[in-house]
Structures are given as C-alpha cells and as structure tokens.
Amino acid sequence: MEKTLNRIHPVSDPEATYFLQVSWEKDLGTGFVIMLSDGQCAWTGTVSEAEISREAADMEMDREKYVEELKKALILGEESAGKYNFAISRGEESTECHFSYEKNMKDVSFRLGSLRLQKVSRPVEVVKELIGHCLDRLGRLQAENEHLQKENERLFSDWNDVEKRLEKCVKAKEELEADLYNRFVLVLNEKKAKIRNLQKLLKEAKESAADAPYTR
Amino acid sequence: MEKTLNRIHPVSDPEATYFLQVSWEKDLGTGFVIMLSDGQCAWTGTVSEAEISREAADMEMDREKYVEELKKALILGEESAGKYNFAISRGEESTECHFSYEKNMKDVSFRLGSLRLQKVSRPVEVVKELIGHCLDRLGRLQAENEHLQKENERLFSDWNDVEKRLEKCVKAKEELEADLYNRFVLVLNEKKAKIRNLQKLLKEAKESAADAPYTR
Amino acid sequence: CPDTKEHFAREYDSYGDSYTADTDVAQLKEVFSRMKDNS
C-alpha cells in the first residue's frame, strides 16, 4: 500500500491548511483512497478504476496521461508550484465534504476530478495515523540517510586509497624507467670501453705486422 | 529553535499513543518547552534552566549527565528501547495534565523529571503544526537523501575511474619494463657481436704477425 | 655512398648507437625511441 501526505490550501480559503493523504495499491490508476483532514475533522472517499477511466474519457484525455496528471496533482505536491488547485466545500451538517482538484494552465483551469468525501466518525484516529505515518517515514529516511552517509565516507576513503596507490604506481614507473636506463648505460659503456680497447690492440697488432720486415 | 517529535505510550495505558514535541534553543540544558498531544487535545509546559539544575541537584547527579539523560528520554526517542517510561495523568477537568518521565534500570526506575502541562485552547493548531513540522522535515530529509544519492553515484564513478587508471598504470609499468629490457638486449647484443668480431680480427692479426717471418 | 655507409657501419650499430663513444641516459633514450619507430 503506497501512501503520500501533502499540505493543501483550498482556493476558497488560501489561509486554511488541509492535509491530503492519498493511498493506493501498486498503481494510482487502479484506484485510490483520499483522506482529507483539517487537523480536527477528517473526511474520506474512494476513486475507483472505473471512475478514473470515466473521467479520462469525459475529458477526452489519454488514460495514462490523465493518471500522470492525477499523480502530479495529488501525490507529488505540485500545488505549491501553482500548477494545481483544490476546492473544498463542507456541507451544512458537515457529514459530507466536496473535494475537487483542477489543473492550472496559462489562462484557464480545467477540472481534473472531484468526489464526495464522507466524514470520519473518529477523526482523532486519522490524525494519529497521519502523524504516525510521517514519523515512520522520517525514521526510515533518517536511517537511509545515515546509511548513505556511511557509504559515501567509505567510497571516499576507498577512492582516496586508490588515488594514493595510483600516485605510488606512477612514481614507481618513473623510478623504474630511470633506474633501468642508468643500469643500461653502465653496462653499455663497459662494452664500448672493451671495443675501444680491442680496436686499439688491433691497430697496434696491424702496425706491428707492417713494421716487422723493416725491423728485422 | 530545535524541535523533535516522538511517539510515546504512557505506562498507565500502553495502548494509547501520545505525541511529544520538545523545543529548545541551542542546548536542551538551557531549558525546553514540551507540547504533548493525543491527536485531539494538547498540553504545553516549560522546564527552565533553573529547574533542570534543581532536578539534577535533587538527584545528586552531575548536571551534564542529567541533561544527557533528558536528551535520551525526551529527544532521541529511546522509549521504544524500553529504557525510559512516561506517565501522563489528566486532571478531572482536563485543563491540566501531569507529565513525568523516568529512567528504567535493571530492577528499579528512577524519576528523571515531571511537570504540570496546561491545556492548549486551540489544539487543532497544535496538530497542524505537528503534521506541518513533520512534512517540512520530510521534505528536507528527502532533498538530503537525493543529494546523498547523487554524491554516492559520483563517488562510485570516481572510484571506478581511478581503479581503471591504476590498472592501466600497473600494466603500463610492466610493459615498460619488458619493452626496455627487449630494446636493451638488442643494443647490447650488437656490442657483443662487435666485440666477438674484433677479438677474431685481433687473433687473426696476431697469428699473421707470428707467421710472417716463415712466409717471407 | 658506399664509403659513408662503411664508415657508419664501423662506427655505429644497426640501431644508431656508437660502438665506441660512451652513451648517457638521454642518448640511449633517443636510440630506443628510434627503435620504436623502426619496430
């Protein structure tokens, strides 16, 4: 069971605050339950899957698109963005309450839906449930945030370690290169010294052979 | 102004749910305001800095330690952990309410504090404020959660990148070493071939010089 | 020309490193880099 709670302000009395709780199973398009409360009284009503289809058909709107609009209006709390309006009119005996929601366009508003809500006999239970639900959600979010915070610290620490290892690897590569070249130079120069010596000996041997007849 | 809201269940009626809001400036030890509500009625009272000192002195407890106990009992919601109890007794005319809180030890409980709370004339405003405060906190936590989630993804991506760079560096170092040795061997072997050649020529030159008298 | 070719063949190995003149790190790096070009 999914549930959301938002604050709304009816167009007829923008100073007044109502709390709108919407509950549904899996997908809002299969129907939903509305619980409306002013903190003292509470009213409830249901919108069925068939009613949703009927509303969409009446508006000549694609059903999926209509459900998206319902989500934005009733669940995502976009009232504050000025995109949706709510109207609440309580009957004389206040056993019923008419609740409607509309979408604001540039110069026009069009009704998204409306329903009659029945007064709840024990509103205090509704209020407790609203606050309780909030506290439960707060608790879960708090725990999730703490978990994410720890994860982030761990990831940062891991990243830091790997960065250090990378720096070491880069340095080790540079040192290896320098070290190998130094060794190669030493070994090669040893061989070159040997070659110079052999060339000198060869030259001497050749000169000695050339001089031999004259010496004898 | 700091504020917390917790659910509590009085020992006299564990099935009943009350909401305990505690507000304070900067530090709980400088005094705090209690708002208690059962969802229908609300009571409020204040505990001053002097009263906190007095309670701590009465209990012969270090003031700082006493304030820590108050935090655990009233703010951190450790009632569910079974460590703290609350007692609420409402007067006959219900204009007042006696609220007390105690700490549970192994075989004994000791009273941490108590106060008389005065009934609030417009409890609906309190209820609205409690729910509103919850919704505001939920909004902030949700935003923080999304931020932490994004941070988490970024940190993971960074860590992943640097891990790949480290792998490349390790591989590059190994390839560099192999490559340098291969080139060195080729150049060194050229020198060795030269040395062998010169040694052969020198030997021939020496043999030739030794044979010369006999040939002439 | 053949004489120049012979001269360089006497003085330098097939990778361009002198048989007799001592080398240093910079010169050896250059020899190795040419080897990469010749592969």
Side-chain angles (χ1 to χ4, degrees), chain A residues 177 181-182 184-185 188-189 191-193 195-196 199, chain C residues 10 17-25 28-29 32:
Chain A
E177 191 178 4
Y181 271 112
N182 285 335
F184 294 167
V185 160
L188 278 175
N189 286 347
K191 297 293 176 276
K192 289 175 191 222
I195 289 167
R196 286 194 300 270
Q199 282 177 337
Chain C
R10 265 203 307 274
D17 182 41
S18 168
Y19 281 119
T20 53
D22 276 356
T23 190
D24 58 24
V25 170
L28 188 56
K29 278 187 178 175
F32 280 10

Side-chain angles (χ1 to χ4, degrees), chain C residues 3-25:
Chain C
D3 282 350
T4 310
K5 207 173 174 182
E6 201 187 318
H7 166 73
F8 279 110
R10 265 203 307 274
E11 297 298 320
Y12 298 94
D13 70 15
S14 58
Y15 301 108
D17 182 41
S18 168
Y19 281 119
T20 53
D22 276 356
T23 190
D24 58 24
V25 170

Side-chain angles (χ1 to χ4, degrees), chain B residues 84-171:
Chain B
Y84 299 89
N85 286 340
F86 298 93
I88 298 166
S89 57
R90 294 154 74 152
E92 271 185 21
E93 290 188 14
S94 287
T95 52
E96 269 189 1
C97 156
H98 190 258
F99 176 62
S100 64
Y101 30 99
E102 54 181 36
K103 180 169 181 173
N104 278 336
M105 309 286 276
K106 280 182 199 171
D107 301 310
V108 72
S109 305
F110 71 87
R111 194 187 64 92
L112 266 182
S114 67
L115 66 158
R116 285 208 178 284
L117 303 173
Q118 299 302 318
K119 198 169 190 180
V120 170
S121 54
R122 286 182 52 76
V124 63
E125 295 308 317
V126 172
V127 164
K128 279 179 171 173
E129 201 260 317
L130 294 183
I131 303 177
H133 173 71
C134 278
L135 289 175
D136 291 339
R137 265 203 74 204
L138 271 169
R140 284 194 301 269
L141 268 178
Q142 192 64 50
E144 196 184 319
N145 186 282
E146 283 163 19
H147 167 75
L148 284 170
Q149 197 71 56
K150 277 197 183 106
E151 267 297 288
N152 189 277
E153 285 162 21
R154 183 188 65 80
L155 284 166
F156 181 78
S157 174
D158 288 351
W159 169 84
N160 212 25
D161 285 345
V162 83
E163 268 275 338
K164 285 194 177 114
R165 280 163 59 201
L166 177 64
E167 275 173 37
K168 275 187 183 167
C169 181
V170 167
K171 194 177 169 199

Side-chain angles (χ1 to χ4, degrees), chain A residues 10 29 35 48 57 86 88 105 157 170 201:
Chain A
M35 185 72 80
S48 67
F86 298 94
I88 299 167
M105 308 287 275
S157 173
V170 168
L201 288 174

Side-chain angles (χ1 to χ4, degrees), chain B:
Chain B
M1 166 75 77
E2 307 275 344
K3 224 178 256 196
T4 58
L5 181 64
N6 284 298
R7 244 176 315 216
I8 61 170
H9 309 277
V11 282
S12 54
D13 187 6
E15 298 295 305
T17 301
Y18 281 77
F19 300 100
L20 171 66
Q21 184 185 72
V22 183
S23 330
W24 69 96
E25 297 277 1
K26 289 179 192 171
D27 178 45
L28 194 73
T30 58
F32 52 92
V33 174
I34 280 182
M35 185 73 78
L36 190 68
S37 175
D38 62 358
Q40 196 169 33
C41 303
W43 300 263
T44 185
T46 307
V47 177
S48 68
E49 192 170 5
E51 280 162 331
I52 292 173
S53 301
R54 195 163 46 241
E55 283 281 8
D58 285 350
M59 264 174 254
E60 290 176 11
M61 195 191 272
D62 172 63
R63 195 187 191 276
E64 251 183 66
K65 213 171 168 190
Y66 175 67
V67 171
E68 277 308 304
E69 289 296 330
L70 285 181
K71 279 178 188 167
K72 287 179 194 173
L74 302 174
I75 294 168
L76 297 179
E78 291 194 17
E79 182 217 16
S80 53
K83 292 181 188 170
Y84 299 89
N85 286 340
F86 298 93
I88 298 166
S89 57
R90 294 154 74 152
E92 271 185 21
E93 290 188 14
S94 287
T95 52
E96 269 189 1
C97 156
H98 190 258
F99 176 62
S100 64
Y101 30 99
E102 54 181 36
K103 180 169 181 173
N104 278 336
M105 309 286 276
K106 280 182 199 171
D107 301 310
V108 72
S109 305
F110 71 87
R111 194 187 64 92
L112 266 182
S114 67
L115 66 158
R116 285 208 178 284
L117 303 173
Q118 299 302 318
K119 198 169 190 180
V120 170
S121 54
R122 286 182 52 76
V124 63
E125 295 308 317
V126 172
V127 164
K128 279 179 171 173
E129 201 260 317
L130 294 183
I131 303 177
H133 173 71
C134 278
L135 289 175
D136 291 339
R137 265 203 74 204
L138 271 169
R140 284 194 301 269
L141 268 178
Q142 192 64 50
E144 196 184 319
N145 186 282
E146 283 163 19
H147 167 75
L148 284 170
Q149 197 71 56
K150 277 197 183 106
E151 267 297 288
N152 189 277
E153 285 162 21
R154 183 188 65 80
L155 284 166
F156 181 78
S157 174
D158 288 351
W159 169 84
N160 212 25
D161 285 345
V162 83
E163 268 275 338
K164 285 194 177 114
R165 280 163 59 201
L166 177 64
E167 275 173 37
K168 275 187 183 167
C169 181
V170 167
K171 194 177 169 199
K173 183 168 163 279
E174 287 165 4
E175 284 173 357
L176 173 78
E177 190 176 13
D179 184 60
L180 286 182
Y181 269 114
N182 286 338
R183 289 169 202 277
F184 172 62
V185 158
L186 290 172
V187 173
L188 182 66
N189 285 346
E190 290 274 300
K191 306 298 175 295
K192 291 184 180 193
K194 182 78 168 178
I195 288 169
R196 283 195 300 273
N197 192 42
L198 284 170
Q199 284 170 336
K200 181 170 163 257
L201 288 174
L202 184 62
K203 188 182 172 194
E204 284 169 4
K206 283 180 178 174
E207 282 170 358
S208 179
D211 289 345
Y214 304 105
T215 327
R216 237 175 311 279

Side-chain angles (χ1 to χ4, degrees), chain A residues 191-207:
Chain A
K191 297 293 176 276
K192 289 175 191 222
K194 178 100 179 168
I195 289 167
R196 286 194 300 270
N197 193 45
L198 283 169
Q199 282 177 337
K200 181 166 162 257
L201 288 174
L202 184 62
K203 187 179 172 199
E204 283 170 4
K206 283 182 177 171
E207 282 169 358

